Each structure stands twice: as structure tokens, then as C-alpha cells.
Amino acid sequence: MIYDQPQALRLAVRDGNFRQPTSGHAGGYLQANLMIVPEADAFDFLLFCQRNPKPCPLIEVLEPGATEPRCAPGANIATDVPGYRVYRHGDLAGERESVADLWQKDFVTFLIGCSFSFEAAVQQAGVPLRHVRQGRNVAMYRTNIACTPAGRFSGEMVVSMRPVKSRDVAKVVEISGRFDVAHGTPVHIGNPGAIGIVDIARPDYGDAVDIEADEVPVFWACGVTPQWVAQKCRLPLCITHAPGKMFVTDLRG
Amino acid sequence: MIYDQPQALRLAVRDGNFRQPTSGHAGGYLQANLMIVPEADAFDFLLFCQRNPKPCPLIEVLEPGATEPRCAPGANIATDVPGYRVYRHGDLAGERESVADLWQKDFVTFLIGCSFSFEAAVQQAGVPLRHVRQGRNVAMYRTNIACTPAGRFSGEMVVSMRPVKSRDVAKVVEISGRFDVAHGTPVHIGNPGAIGIVDIARPDYGDAVDIEADEVPVFWACGVTPQWVAQKCRLPLCITHAPGKMFVTDLRG
């Protein structure tokens, strides 16, 4: 079953009836990467997002302790995401279906844009995306592109890659550039080795996808970057969404 | 004497040889509104800026205690602004030529875009600006437009007003829209009463300017907003620039 409306999707999640990736649901609505940190780390992380808007375009930051975002009235951040990951001191400490029992009054929630919005626009413009057609997760890679550090947060950018036909590369740059909150224009086009990607056939996250002879690999900043940086910095505690299982907002993408 | 280069201007300020408004100097370089708050209020204020990007477009936020911005290597935030204002619990506690002696290790500096960048572009497009031609400060007004609150920060937007000939209004909207970091497009056009301005001839800040018969008053979000909000919230301590005396960066506008 496909959920058209974000409210219905979030309620299904809350009631335990939806645990899948959210891609393809609530078409036309913004979906968000989730990052929750204790207030002690919130200024540093907000500053990290401000300094690195391509991987971390902010949709909304909630007040400390708050669970109901303005971008989704009635929603509960602690229960309405189909899957959560808890990291402690940089290690994955578990995957969960709710974090209501872990909730702390000092938790600050960051909702960060994801690439689904521009993917829809690119496809509407007649440019096919192989991973979408094949029903796979997009291929993601850690790179050697340094993010601008902020307080305790520093590390390299994670990128997503989509193979694009040479004739369509300018078009996808133009279209994605209209979606600041979905990472904007690509950060790199055409040469994986130049950004530290050793084997394009082996992504660090998501699923591998073939690149055909008339295609160029196009790389966009990716919302997985803060998860990777939090791991590298051995942040005492953070909670994120599980890959592909985003928070669905009421905002029109 | 007109300073063309931001470095030379900042050194003149530091040496006590420049105490004027910075408009008209270092043409083509970004100038910034200054807001300094202790770290205890920095998350709330950063969040206020994130939620209110029109009045508070961030150029840079420095690490706690830091005085040398990335946007102006070699500069010192505590000495290189031609005039500072110190506010304590919402009251103006003094105007100073340096805040080096007041500096605290927990001070967080926010550099916020100002309208000088788009004013230059508007004039280059052939639209005259009366306050610039008359050598006056722009007229600024407190409004009834509520900012989105964040933590302890809440209050109404301050706007700047420029009279524009009816035939040029669309042009100034288009041009200012290219300058996100200089407040972007206008927030209101044509009806002062609708945003709570009782007497257009009596601005709350800056200098009054005539509006002629074929002109429309055009209102932009203004970087004085955070000063007004900090006063209203009776923030224990903050330091700002004195009106018109901005921090001049090395960034090209």
C-alpha cells in the first residue's frame, strides 16, 4: 500500500504498521534526515550545519526536549520515524522502532533535507534514475572532501551518486540547483578517484548501481554526512533515522 | 579619505584612525552586522537566525571565544569595528571604540549580512537610492511582523525602507532577490500601516527620507532586528556594532 498523505503515513508508523523505507510514499512532500543530540552538543552541531549547508540543509531545528515539529503538526519525532539508530561514542548501539523510552528533556532534534525532492523533479523532466527504477537505495560513498569543522564536529562529506547520460548532466545540475533544502547542485561530477572513492562498484552505504558507457557519475552532498561525522567524533550519544526510513513532513517539496 | 581595501580599513579602525560609518568604503566587499552573545545564549540565538533568515542572514558564526573570522583573516572582532554598543539586560550600557577589555572566553560572534551589497547592485542597474545620494543613513522602522521565536529570543522584525519609482519596483525585487545574504527580496511593499508603521516620516532608527508622488515605499528585513529582539528579551549581555559602523569582511559581495 502506498500512503499519499504524510499524516496517514506517520500514524501508520506510530501504530507499528509501517516499517519500510519511505521513498515513493507521500509524493510531493519533503522528507527529512533525522539527527537528535543532547543540548550540550546542539550548538556545535547547529554551527556544523550552518557551515556545511550542502550536506546539512536544515528544514527545522526543534527546541530542547520538543517532539512536535512545526513542519508536521501532531507528529511525534520519537515515534513517527519507521526506524531509528542509536549511536553511543561512535558505535551503533542498536536499531529501534521507537525512541520514546530513551527520550531526554535535553534532546534537540534536527531535520535535514534529503534528495527525494530533487529526484522527483529530475524524473519529471524526463531524466531516468536507475536506482529508483530498480527499486534500490541510492549508492553513497565516504569521500576525502573535508567538511568545515565546528566545535567537536569534523570529518569528511558523504555523497550520493547517480549515473546521468552526458547530454542530461547540465539539466540535472540546473534542476537540483533549485532545491537548496535537498542539497542543491552536485559537489562533484565525473571523477570518483579525485574525491577519494577507490571503487565505485562498492558504495559505503546503499546499493551499487551500474554506470553505462554513455553515462557520467554525478555526486551530490548527502544527509548521511552528519551520521558519519558523529561516528568519527565519537559523539557520546546521538539518534538518527535508519537508512531510507525518513521523517515525512507536511511541507510541499 | 575612502578606503578601497577591507584590510586597510580594519587596520585604520584598530589604530583609532577611523570612526565613521562604513558605507561607501571597501566597495564590492560584504559588510556585516555584529552580534556577540555569551555561549549560554548562543544556541538560542543561532536557532533564531536559522528560523529568521530574512532579518538574520548568517555570513559566519565564530567558535566560542574566537576573535578572528574566516571571512577576514588577521582581523580582530574586538577591535576592528568603528563603533560598538554594549547592552545589559536590554538597556544600552555604553558605546565604545573597542571591546577588547570586555572580552570573555565564552563570547560567540555572529556576523549577519547587511543591505549594502544589494544597494550597490540596485544603483548599478540604474535605480537611484535617495538616502545614498543624500548621504544619510537608511530609514528603519519597528513593525508588527512577528519573528519566529527561538528559546529566549522573540519579538518583531525591524525593516529598512527605500522609496522606489513604481516602474522600478519589480526590478528591485528581482535584484535584491539575488542577495540572500543581504536580506533577499522585500518583506512588504506599499502600505506602511499594514505592518504597524504609524508615521513613515518618523523612523525608529536612521534618517527620515521623502517619498515622492510617483514612488512606493519598499520594505526589507533589517539586520537591526536582533538588536531590537535582544533588548525586548532583556538579554543579560550582548555587544553589537553601532548603527552604520559595520564589520567589513574580505568576502566579495
Side-chain angles (χ1 to χ4, degrees), chain A residues 39 42-44 46-47 50-51 58-64 70 108 110 148-151 180, chain B residues 39 42-44 46-47 50-51 58-64 70 108 110 148-151 180:
Chain A
E39 193 172 3
F43 174 74
D44 282 359
L46 183 50
L47 193 54
Q50 195 273 325
R51 290 181 180 171
L58 288 172
I59 294 176
E60 184 173 339
V61 183
L62 280 67
E63 303 281 319
R70 290 160 194 262
V108 179
F110 294 75
T148 305
D180 278 351
Chain B
E39 193 171 3
F43 174 73
D44 282 359
L46 184 49
L47 193 52
Q50 195 272 326
R51 290 181 179 171
L58 288 172
I59 295 176
E60 184 173 340
V61 183
L62 280 68
E63 302 282 320
R70 288 160 196 262
V108 179
F110 294 75
T148 306
D180 278 351

Side-chain angles (χ1 to χ4, degrees), chain B residues 178-195:
Chain B
R178 288 182 216 142
F179 292 86
D180 278 351
V181 90
H183 307 300
T185 53
V187 290
H188 193 81
I189 296 173
N191 185 358
I195 55 174

